[in-house]
Amino acid sequence: MAAILRKGDAGRKGDAGRDAAAARARRYRQGLAPVLALLAAEAGSTPEGIAASLTRRGVRKPRGGRVWTPPDVRRLLSRLAAETGS
């Protein structure tokens, strides 16, 4: 027999999907962190240099895009810093 969920019992509709997407994004950022550190060392630590290197190396963006922009890199670095507490 199916349980009847009442409002407030199990969170809002869609929470599980959002949580799963957030976890995938976090794993993606953490997996890319060593590559970013390497690129920052060789291409300079500017978002422009890192974006150009990521594009040149063919590193795909989280949603599959191929061209990195400086704002993409700034967002990525900002979120990584917030997650690591640096």
Side-chain angles (χ1 to χ4, degrees):
M1 178 175 261
I4 297 174
L5 293 178
R6 294 189 185 131
K7 202 173 200 176
D9 285 350
R12 295 183 333 211
K13 183 177 182 180
D15 280 350
R18 277 188 293 280
D19 292 344
R24 278 191 308 275
R26 199 170 22 262
R27 284 191 305 273
Y28 176 83
R29 286 190 299 270
Q30 291 169 349
L32 200 54
V35 174
L36 292 171
L38 176 70
L39 293 179
E42 77 179 33
S45 57
T46 66
E48 292 79 8
I50 294 170
S53 292
L54 288 167
T55 299
R56 193 172 37 255
R57 291 172 184 253
V59 175
R60 302 297 289 259
K61 291 170 55 174
R63 292 187 178 181
R66 297 174 190 252
V67 178
W68 287 83
T69 63
D72 294 331
V73 173
R74 282 188 205 98
R75 248 186 323 275
L76 181 64
L77 293 174
S78 173
R79 289 180 179 155
L80 273 171
E83 290 171 1
T84 59
S86 6

